[in-house]
Amino acid sequence: MALRPAEKKAIAFLLRHLAYGTAGGFTFGAGLLYFDIAQLRTLAMSSDNPALAIGLLFFGLFITWGSAGMGVGIMSLAEDEN
């Protein structure tokens, strides 16, 4: 079943805003680890499996920030009627 052009445009719109949100989440997570805020990097690196700890951190950030990015995109579609 092929998508209509309007559906393709809507999916591309959502994916673009999802990418903006995940980029923001990655930047935020990298900042948390780089500056060792709340000693997250120290805690993650001292765990038995640091890759898992950091992966879970970024997974949560991608879900949260990606959803927020899509929400901002959808909310910005509203037109102001005077």
Side-chain angles (χ1 to χ4, degrees), residues 9-81:
K9 185 178 176 183
I11 290 172
F13 176 81
L14 288 174
L15 289 176
R16 185 173 54 250
H17 282 85
L18 176 65
Y20 295 153
T22 55
F26 178 79
T27 304
F28 182 73
L32 283 175
L33 293 176
Y34 179 77
F35 293 110
D36 202 17
I37 303 220
Q39 297 178 340
L40 284 175
R41 183 184 64 214
T42 306
L43 184 63
M45 292 304 166
S46 66
S47 71
D48 291 337
N49 193 350
L52 179 63
I54 292 173
L56 287 172
L57 170 70
F58 278 98
F59 179 75
L61 289 173
F62 289 164
I63 295 294
T64 303
W65 286 69
S67 299
M70 289 194 321
V72 167
I74 291 170
M75 296 298 176
S76 68
L77 289 174
E79 294 181 12
D80 187 23
E81 297 179 18

